[in-house]
Amino acid sequence: MADDFKTNFADPQLQKELAARLQYYRDMGIYDLYRRKSAGGAGGDGLSAVSTEECRDSAVLPVLNTTIDVEAELRAIREDIGDCTRCGLHKGRKNIVFGVGNPHAELMFVGEGPGADEDAKGEPFVGRAGQLLNKMIEAMGVQRADVYIANVVKCRPPDNRTPERDEMETCSPFLYRQIAAIQPKVIVALGATATKALLNVNEPMSALRGRWHAFRGTKLIATYHPAYLLRDPRQKGEAWKDLQMAMKELALEPPPKNIA
Ligand code: URA
């Protein structure tokens, strides 16, 4: 690989964007890219094959525009999902629940999958668990509209059961693409299903929460799912500790207490 490319891509932020973009292509099953030789370069047809692995390793990818148009990218992901029938969950759904929020969010929440209310509305976390999530978000000093919220699976599992492995494997590449497009600074994984799907681990929540993890270079904190907190409110204090770790990372302050 030419040294001038290495120089251009020495910027760590650019490399991070580049790595995310390459992962995005790999998630789509694209393993070979073509780069155009520079105008003054050797002859030939002007194109040479380079694998996404090779690009990642050498941090070289001049052909791709690393300034991601996030809104366009999210629209493209939604279009790719289409009227999805890739797994059995489509049979019982009313709506695909894609995700909602600020495409430029620094903070992203990932849940498990839509419930009845979300399925009816086509929006994540709008039921009882969603009301609690909204309170958690506001306690962090931000609004729901400031963050981005998505799920591991985009169709409601029957009777709100946990999504099965094949359903998660089928759907999660779309979530990975959403994360790659948004590039949040912090991901909060809500509950064991989301945490395990993102981290590919199989430990209990008690062992996963309370410490930082990384999802493809993005800082990830795991905490209890709001639905679990509704069932066992005694755990809210522990969840608040997790959220405070995210707040510290993002330099967020809780809103001033209303003393009126
Ligand atoms: N639970 C989830 O995990 N996601 C939702 O969107 C709603 C409830």
Side-chain angles (χ1 to χ4, degrees), residues 104-127:
H104 304 281
E106 293 195 336
L107 177 58
M108 179 163 176
F109 290 85
V110 176
E112 176 176 315
D117 295 319
E118 291 76 20
D119 180 44
K121 201 165 175 207
E123 184 174 329
F125 284 98
V126 291

PDB file of all heavy atoms in Angstrom, residues 104-127:
ATOM      1  N   HIS A 104     -27.637  11.870  15.091  1.00  0.00           N
ATOM      2  CA  HIS A 104     -26.287  12.311  15.487  1.00  0.00           C
ATOM      3  C   HIS A 104     -26.059  12.139  16.993  1.00  0.00           C
ATOM      4  O   HIS A 104     -25.182  12.792  17.574  1.00  0.00           O
ATOM      5  CB  HIS A 104     -26.073  13.777  15.075  1.00  0.00           C
ATOM      6  CG  HIS A 104     -26.296  13.985  13.604  1.00  0.00           C
ATOM      7  ND1 HIS A 104     -25.363  13.654  12.659  1.00  0.00           N
ATOM      8  CD2 HIS A 104     -27.386  14.414  12.928  1.00  0.00           C
ATOM      9  CE1 HIS A 104     -25.864  13.900  11.455  1.00  0.00           C
ATOM     10  NE2 HIS A 104     -27.085  14.357  11.584  1.00  0.00           N
ATOM     11  N   ALA A 105     -26.852  11.271  17.592  1.00  0.00           N
ATOM     12  CA  ALA A 105     -26.795  11.089  19.042  1.00  0.00           C
ATOM     13  C   ALA A 105     -25.421  10.608  19.496  1.00  0.00           C
ATOM     14  O   ALA A 105     -24.797   9.775  18.835  1.00  0.00           O
ATOM     15  CB  ALA A 105     -27.851  10.085  19.471  1.00  0.00           C
ATOM     16  N   GLU A 106     -25.008  11.113  20.658  1.00  0.00           N
ATOM     17  CA  GLU A 106     -23.780  10.585  21.280  1.00  0.00           C
ATOM     18  C   GLU A 106     -24.101   9.384  22.154  1.00  0.00           C
ATOM     19  O   GLU A 106     -23.220   8.611  22.511  1.00  0.00           O
ATOM     20  CB  GLU A 106     -23.129  11.674  22.144  1.00  0.00           C
ATOM     21  CG  GLU A 106     -22.606  12.833  21.320  1.00  0.00           C
ATOM     22  CD  GLU A 106     -21.667  13.718  22.109  1.00  0.00           C
ATOM     23  OE1 GLU A 106     -21.768  13.729  23.354  1.00  0.00           O
ATOM     24  OE2 GLU A 106     -20.848  14.393  21.479  1.00  0.00           O
ATOM     25  N   LEU A 107     -25.378   9.267  22.505  1.00  0.00           N
ATOM     26  CA  LEU A 107     -25.811   8.210  23.417  1.00  0.00           C
ATOM     27  C   LEU A 107     -26.886   7.371  22.729  1.00  0.00           C
ATOM     28  O   LEU A 107     -27.880   7.917  22.231  1.00  0.00           O
ATOM     29  CB  LEU A 107     -26.382   8.882  24.681  1.00  0.00           C
ATOM     30  CG  LEU A 107     -26.977   7.994  25.761  1.00  0.00           C
ATOM     31  CD1 LEU A 107     -25.960   6.985  26.282  1.00  0.00           C
ATOM     32  CD2 LEU A 107     -27.490   8.866  26.920  1.00  0.00           C
ATOM     33  N   MET A 108     -26.655   6.068  22.693  1.00  0.00           N
ATOM     34  CA  MET A 108     -27.610   5.169  22.031  1.00  0.00           C
ATOM     35  C   MET A 108     -28.013   4.067  23.003  1.00  0.00           C
ATOM     36  O   MET A 108     -27.158   3.503  23.694  1.00  0.00           O
ATOM     37  CB  MET A 108     -26.946   4.572  20.783  1.00  0.00           C
ATOM     38  CG  MET A 108     -27.836   3.619  20.029  1.00  0.00           C
ATOM     39  SD  MET A 108     -27.186   3.369  18.351  1.00  0.00           S
ATOM     40  CE  MET A 108     -28.340   2.136  17.771  1.00  0.00           C
ATOM     41  N   PHE A 109     -29.305   3.791  23.051  1.00  0.00           N
ATOM     42  CA  PHE A 109     -29.821   2.706  23.884  1.00  0.00           C
ATOM     43  C   PHE A 109     -30.239   1.554  22.980  1.00  0.00           C
ATOM     44  O   PHE A 109     -30.873   1.779  21.941  1.00  0.00           O
ATOM     45  CB  PHE A 109     -31.035   3.179  24.692  1.00  0.00           C
ATOM     46  CG  PHE A 109     -30.692   4.161  25.777  1.00  0.00           C
ATOM     47  CD1 PHE A 109     -30.586   5.523  25.501  1.00  0.00           C
ATOM     48  CD2 PHE A 109     -30.447   3.732  27.068  1.00  0.00           C
ATOM     49  CE1 PHE A 109     -30.258   6.433  26.491  1.00  0.00           C
ATOM     50  CE2 PHE A 109     -30.111   4.630  28.078  1.00  0.00           C
ATOM     51  CZ  PHE A 109     -30.013   5.976  27.784  1.00  0.00           C
ATOM     52  N   VAL A 110     -29.887   0.357  23.405  1.00  0.00           N
ATOM     53  CA  VAL A 110     -30.280  -0.827  22.620  1.00  0.00           C
ATOM     54  C   VAL A 110     -31.064  -1.776  23.520  1.00  0.00           C
ATOM     55  O   VAL A 110     -30.572  -2.206  24.567  1.00  0.00           O
ATOM     56  CB  VAL A 110     -29.038  -1.541  22.035  1.00  0.00           C
ATOM     57  CG1 VAL A 110     -29.462  -2.818  21.312  1.00  0.00           C
ATOM     58  CG2 VAL A 110     -28.289  -0.618  21.074  1.00  0.00           C
ATOM     59  N   GLY A 111     -32.293  -2.062  23.099  1.00  0.00           N
ATOM     60  CA  GLY A 111     -33.144  -3.010  23.816  1.00  0.00           C
ATOM     61  C   GLY A 111     -33.199  -4.337  23.095  1.00  0.00           C
ATOM     62  O   GLY A 111     -32.445  -4.592  22.150  1.00  0.00           O
ATOM     63  N   GLU A 112     -34.138  -5.154  23.556  1.00  0.00           N
ATOM     64  CA  GLU A 112     -34.217  -6.529  23.062  1.00  0.00           C
ATOM     65  C   GLU A 112     -35.066  -6.641  21.783  1.00  0.00           C
ATOM     66  O   GLU A 112     -34.592  -7.066  20.734  1.00  0.00           O
ATOM     67  CB  GLU A 112     -34.820  -7.354  24.202  1.00  0.00           C
ATOM     68  CG  GLU A 112     -35.075  -8.782  23.906  1.00  0.00           C
ATOM     69  CD  GLU A 112     -35.576  -9.506  25.164  1.00  0.00           C
ATOM     70  OE1 GLU A 112     -35.012  -9.306  26.256  1.00  0.00           O
ATOM     71  OE2 GLU A 112     -36.539 -10.279  25.028  1.00  0.00           O
ATOM     72  N   GLY A 113     -36.292  -6.225  21.915  1.00  0.00           N
ATOM     73  CA  GLY A 113     -37.200  -6.314  20.773  1.00  0.00           C
ATOM     74  C   GLY A 113     -38.515  -5.682  21.146  1.00  0.00           C
ATOM     75  O   GLY A 113     -38.816  -5.513  22.332  1.00  0.00           O
ATOM     76  N   PRO A 114     -39.326  -5.329  20.143  1.00  0.00           N
ATOM     77  CA  PRO A 114     -40.579  -4.635  20.435  1.00  0.00           C
ATOM     78  C   PRO A 114     -41.571  -5.513  21.199  1.00  0.00           C
ATOM     79  O   PRO A 114     -41.601  -6.729  21.016  1.00  0.00           O
ATOM     80  CB  PRO A 114     -41.143  -4.314  19.044  1.00  0.00           C
ATOM     81  CG  PRO A 114     -40.182  -4.831  18.042  1.00  0.00           C
ATOM     82  CD  PRO A 114     -39.077  -5.544  18.732  1.00  0.00           C
ATOM     83  N   GLY A 115     -42.375  -4.852  22.055  1.00  0.00           N
ATOM     84  CA  GLY A 115     -43.520  -5.506  22.680  1.00  0.00           C
ATOM     85  C   GLY A 115     -44.774  -5.095  21.929  1.00  0.00           C
ATOM     86  O   GLY A 115     -44.706  -4.526  20.828  1.00  0.00           O
ATOM     87  N   ALA A 116     -45.920  -5.336  22.566  1.00  0.00           N
ATOM     88  CA  ALA A 116     -47.204  -5.085  21.892  1.00  0.00           C
ATOM     89  C   ALA A 116     -47.372  -3.603  21.540  1.00  0.00           C
ATOM     90  O   ALA A 116     -47.791  -3.265  20.424  1.00  0.00           O
ATOM     91  CB  ALA A 116     -48.348  -5.558  22.781  1.00  0.00           C
ATOM     92  N   ASP A 117     -47.049  -2.729  22.485  1.00  0.00           N
ATOM     93  CA  ASP A 117     -47.246  -1.289  22.233  1.00  0.00           C
ATOM     94  C   ASP A 117     -46.334  -0.798  21.115  1.00  0.00           C
ATOM     95  O   ASP A 117     -46.742  -0.001  20.262  1.00  0.00           O
ATOM     96  CB  ASP A 117     -46.952  -0.483  23.508  1.00  0.00           C
ATOM     97  CG  ASP A 117     -47.942  -0.794  24.611  1.00  0.00           C
ATOM     98  OD1 ASP A 117     -49.141  -0.921  24.312  1.00  0.00           O
ATOM     99  OD2 ASP A 117     -47.502  -0.937  25.773  1.00  0.00           O
ATOM    100  N   GLU A 118     -45.106  -1.300  21.133  1.00  0.00           N
ATOM    101  CA  GLU A 118     -44.124  -0.880  20.120  1.00  0.00           C
ATOM    102  C   GLU A 118     -44.531  -1.405  18.742  1.00  0.00           C
ATOM    103  O   GLU A 118     -44.424  -0.708  17.737  1.00  0.00           O
ATOM    104  CB  GLU A 118     -42.732  -1.402  20.499  1.00  0.00           C
ATOM    105  CG  GLU A 118     -42.132  -0.740  21.731  1.00  0.00           C
ATOM    106  CD  GLU A 118     -42.717  -1.207  23.058  1.00  0.00           C
ATOM    107  OE1 GLU A 118     -43.327  -2.299  23.086  1.00  0.00           O
ATOM    108  OE2 GLU A 118     -42.568  -0.483  24.064  1.00  0.00           O
ATOM    109  N   ASP A 119     -45.017  -2.649  18.732  1.00  0.00           N
ATOM    110  CA  ASP A 119     -45.474  -3.256  17.481  1.00  0.00           C
ATOM    111  C   ASP A 119     -46.641  -2.456  16.897  1.00  0.00           C
ATOM    112  O   ASP A 119     -46.701  -2.197  15.689  1.00  0.00           O
ATOM    113  CB  ASP A 119     -45.904  -4.703  17.782  1.00  0.00           C
ATOM    114  CG  ASP A 119     -46.389  -5.439  16.552  1.00  0.00           C
ATOM    115  OD1 ASP A 119     -45.722  -5.316  15.497  1.00  0.00           O
ATOM    116  OD2 ASP A 119     -47.423  -6.116  16.634  1.00  0.00           O
ATOM    117  N   ALA A 120     -47.556  -2.026  17.787  1.00  0.00           N
ATOM    118  CA  ALA A 120     -48.723  -1.268  17.322  1.00  0.00           C
ATOM    119  C   ALA A 120     -48.300   0.093  16.776  1.00  0.00           C
ATOM    120  O   ALA A 120     -48.842   0.570  15.775  1.00  0.00           O
ATOM    121  CB  ALA A 120     -49.724  -1.103  18.462  1.00  0.00           C
ATOM    122  N   LYS A 121     -47.311   0.713  17.417  1.00  0.00           N
ATOM    123  CA  LYS A 121     -46.940   2.089  17.058  1.00  0.00           C
ATOM    124  C   LYS A 121     -45.777   2.164  16.071  1.00  0.00           C
ATOM    125  O   LYS A 121     -45.573   3.189  15.421  1.00  0.00           O
ATOM    126  CB  LYS A 121     -46.594   2.861  18.338  1.00  0.00           C
ATOM    127  CG  LYS A 121     -46.701   4.343  18.156  1.00  0.00           C
ATOM    128  CD  LYS A 121     -46.720   5.122  19.441  1.00  0.00           C
ATOM    129  CE  LYS A 121     -46.696   6.605  19.090  1.00  0.00           C
ATOM    130  NZ  LYS A 121     -46.095   7.423  20.137  1.00  0.00           N
ATOM    131  N   GLY A 122     -45.004   1.101  15.995  1.00  0.00           N
ATOM    132  CA  GLY A 122     -43.834   1.128  15.107  1.00  0.00           C
ATOM    133  C   GLY A 122     -42.684   1.919  15.690  1.00  0.00           C
ATOM    134  O   GLY A 122     -41.801   2.379  14.946  1.00  0.00           O
ATOM    135  N   GLU A 123     -42.681   2.080  17.023  1.00  0.00           N
ATOM    136  CA  GLU A 123     -41.620   2.869  17.675  1.00  0.00           C
ATOM    137  C   GLU A 123     -41.137   2.116  18.914  1.00  0.00           C
ATOM    138  O   GLU A 123     -41.963   1.598  19.675  1.00  0.00           O
ATOM    139  CB  GLU A 123     -42.187   4.244  18.072  1.00  0.00           C
ATOM    140  CG  GLU A 123     -41.129   5.153  18.666  1.00  0.00           C
ATOM    141  CD  GLU A 123     -41.648   6.566  18.937  1.00  0.00           C
ATOM    142  OE1 GLU A 123     -42.536   7.047  18.207  1.00  0.00           O
ATOM    143  OE2 GLU A 123     -41.146   7.173  19.892  1.00  0.00           O
ATOM    144  N   PRO A 124     -39.804   2.079  19.151  1.00  0.00           N
ATOM    145  CA  PRO A 124     -39.313   1.348  20.321  1.00  0.00           C
ATOM    146  C   PRO A 124     -39.640   2.057  21.636  1.00  0.00           C
ATOM    147  O   PRO A 124     -39.721   3.280  21.685  1.00  0.00           O
ATOM    148  CB  PRO A 124     -37.790   1.286  20.110  1.00  0.00           C
ATOM    149  CG  PRO A 124     -37.478   2.363  19.145  1.00  0.00           C
ATOM    150  CD  PRO A 124     -38.713   2.623  18.333  1.00  0.00           C
ATOM    151  N   PHE A 125     -39.803   1.243  22.665  1.00  0.00           N
ATOM    152  CA  PHE A 125     -39.949   1.731  24.035  1.00  0.00           C
ATOM    153  C   PHE A 125     -41.019   2.830  24.164  1.00  0.00           C
ATOM    154  O   PHE A 125     -40.718   3.962  24.528  1.00  0.00           O
ATOM    155  CB  PHE A 125     -38.595   2.209  24.582  1.00  0.00           C
ATOM    156  CG  PHE A 125     -37.686   1.072  24.958  1.00  0.00           C
ATOM    157  CD1 PHE A 125     -36.696   0.633  24.083  1.00  0.00           C
ATOM    158  CD2 PHE A 125     -37.830   0.411  26.168  1.00  0.00           C
ATOM    159  CE1 PHE A 125     -35.862  -0.435  24.410  1.00  0.00           C
ATOM    160  CE2 PHE A 125     -37.000  -0.655  26.505  1.00  0.00           C
ATOM    161  CZ  PHE A 125     -36.021  -1.072  25.634  1.00  0.00           C
ATOM    162  N   VAL A 126     -42.246   2.452  23.841  1.00  0.00           N
ATOM    163  CA  VAL A 126     -43.357   3.395  24.040  1.00  0.00           C
ATOM    164  C   VAL A 126     -44.356   2.879  25.085  1.00  0.00           C
ATOM    165  O   VAL A 126     -45.290   3.581  25.440  1.00  0.00           O
ATOM    166  CB  VAL A 126     -44.111   3.712  22.715  1.00  0.00           C
ATOM    167  CG1 VAL A 126     -43.261   4.531  21.780  1.00  0.00           C
ATOM    168  CG2 VAL A 126     -44.610   2.435  22.045  1.00  0.00           C
ATOM    169  N   GLY A 127     -44.167   1.640  25.573  1.00  0.00           N
ATOM    170  CA  GLY A 127     -45.068   1.082  26.583  1.00  0.00           C
ATOM    171  C   GLY A 127     -44.582   1.434  27.987  1.00  0.00           C
ATOM    172  O   GLY A 127     -43.885   2.443  28.186  1.00  0.00           O
TER     173      GLY A 127
END
